[in-house]
Amino acid sequence: MSRKPIIAGNWKMNKSLEEAVEFVKEVQDKLPDASVVESVIGAPALFLPTMIQTRTNDQLVIAAQNCYTEDAGAFTGEISPKLLAEVGVQYVIIGHSERREYFNESNQFINEKAKAIFRNGMLPIICCGESLEQRESGETEPWIKEQITEALAGLNADQVKQLVIAYEPIWAIGTGKSSSAELANETCGFIRSVVEELYSQDVANAVRIQYGGSVKPDNIAQYLAEEHIDGALVGGASLEPTSFIQLLEVTC
Ligand SMILES: O=C(CO)COP(=O)(O)O
């Protein structure tokens, strides 16, 4: 299997601009080679151009945490995917459970964002995942199948091969209660089977699937050892340079 691991930090709405710049300066020469693992940070939109300008090499890939579906127009306060691409952003995280919950984002809206991201030459990291209630009542698989099917609607096979899916069970986010590696692998394997059903085995083998939810330097190895887990989307443990580097070193 030749899928390259991708470890992405999701800073959410944390840090000052000064701290973000310090982070880039501190980690950029310590990152594993980009041919071994992709090192990504998803930062607040206001930091993105400065972080990109601070880089002295392109080992650290910069992601946005959200964007709008249109490139320009009368959409007060929104983040244009065209402008993100112009400043050098490469990935955009979409469909995070916090955006689904607090900003009422639907699968259809997330699908429109995915199309806008591709149209502008970037790649989406599409999040999915179930609540504790859904997990306990056995509704995880139909729910995730619906999320994936609707988020990928209209994307072609080449696009799906390049994008990243992040499986984040809501009950594991920021709670310290990570999913067991076996359970995470089972669900990531299910996501891969949904992609195979929608596209082909070739596409399913190529798409990278991350696990996210209380991933730390001391538990990431068990996830990466699993067949269907190709990386991690990490909140809290991506905020400090030392811990971010430790997460990456496990892949080498
Ligand atoms: O939501 C997450 C990443 O997108 C996970 O956050 P934590 O790693 O802090 O649990």
Side-chain angles (χ1 to χ4, degrees):
M1 193 170 18
S2 60
R3 295 187 295 266
K4 194 203 290 187
I6 173 164
I7 310 295
N10 174 11
W11 281 355
K12 310 190 180 184
M13 203 172 70
N14 290 299
K15 285 197 184 289
S16 67
L17 179 58
E18 199 181 330
E19 287 165 349
V21 167
E22 275 313 304
F23 183 99
V24 174
K25 287 184 183 162
E26 194 163 336
V27 303
Q28 63 180 343
D29 296 320
K30 298 181 185 145
L31 299 170
D33 197 89
S35 62
V36 179
V37 54
E38 261 183 282
S39 312
V40 183
I41 286 289
L46 288 171
F47 302 166
L48 298 171
T50 314
M51 287 175 73
I52 290 166
Q53 283 157 17
T54 302
R55 291 184 310 180
T56 53
N57 60 57
D58 53 12
Q59 293 277 112
L60 183 65
V61 174
I62 301 296
Q65 298 173 8
N66 181 33
C67 71
Y68 193 51
T69 57
E70 301 298 322
D71 293 351
F75 305 105
T76 303
E78 278 301 333
I79 302 170
S80 157
K82 184 164 181 277
L83 293 188
L84 291 177
E86 266 177 35
V87 300
V89 167
Q90 288 168 262
Y91 284 97
V92 185
I93 300 168
I94 53 172
H96 194 281
S97 57
E98 288 150 17
R99 295 213 59 87
R100 291 175 188 265
E101 184 182 348
Y102 305 137
F103 305 98
N104 295 319
E105 295 200 0
S106 66
N107 291 331
Q108 287 71 24
F109 192 37
I110 291 157
N111 175 246
E112 289 303 315
K113 292 183 184 207
K115 289 175 182 160
I117 291 162
F118 276 113
R119 187 172 69 234
N120 284 287
M122 301 178 290
L123 296 172
I125 297 177
I126 303 177
C127 303
C128 64
E130 81 288 2
S131 66
L132 187 58
E133 204 183 351
Q134 288 169 320
R135 170 60 70 183
E136 286 174 346
S137 58
E139 292 164 41
T140 300
E141 293 197 351
W143 175 253
I144 286 185
K145 184 171 184 176
E146 187 179 304
Q147 286 187 319
I148 296 298
T149 306
E150 294 183 3
L152 299 184
L155 298 183
N156 66 39
D158 269 352
Q159 290 172 323
V160 178
K161 279 184 181 177
Q162 296 174 69
L163 58 76
V164 177
I165 297 173
Y167 167 58
E168 298 203 310
I170 297 169
W171 46 271
I173 296 175
T175 58
K177 285 188 205 145
S178 53
S179 164
S180 72
E182 295 70 30
L183 188 62
N185 186 54
E186 193 184 299
T187 314
C188 291
F190 173 72
I191 293 169
R192 207 175 290 288
S193 75
V194 171
V195 173
E196 180 170 348
E197 210 176 290
L198 293 170
Y199 292 88
S200 66
Q201 194 178 36
D202 186 38
V203 176
N205 282 340
V207 69
R208 288 180 298 171
I209 306 177
Q210 299 172 311
Y211 165 74
S214 298
V215 173
K216 309 282 173 216
D218 66 5
N219 67 13
I220 189 170
Q222 54 175 321
Y223 296 108
L224 298 180
E226 296 288 344
E227 180 184 358
H228 294 294
I229 303 179
D230 308 309
L233 184 57
V234 187
S238 72
L239 288 167
E240 292 310 318
T242 321
S243 153
F244 183 61
I245 297 289
Q246 284 168 353
L247 291 165
L248 289 158
E249 280 171 348
V250 173
T251 61
C252 303

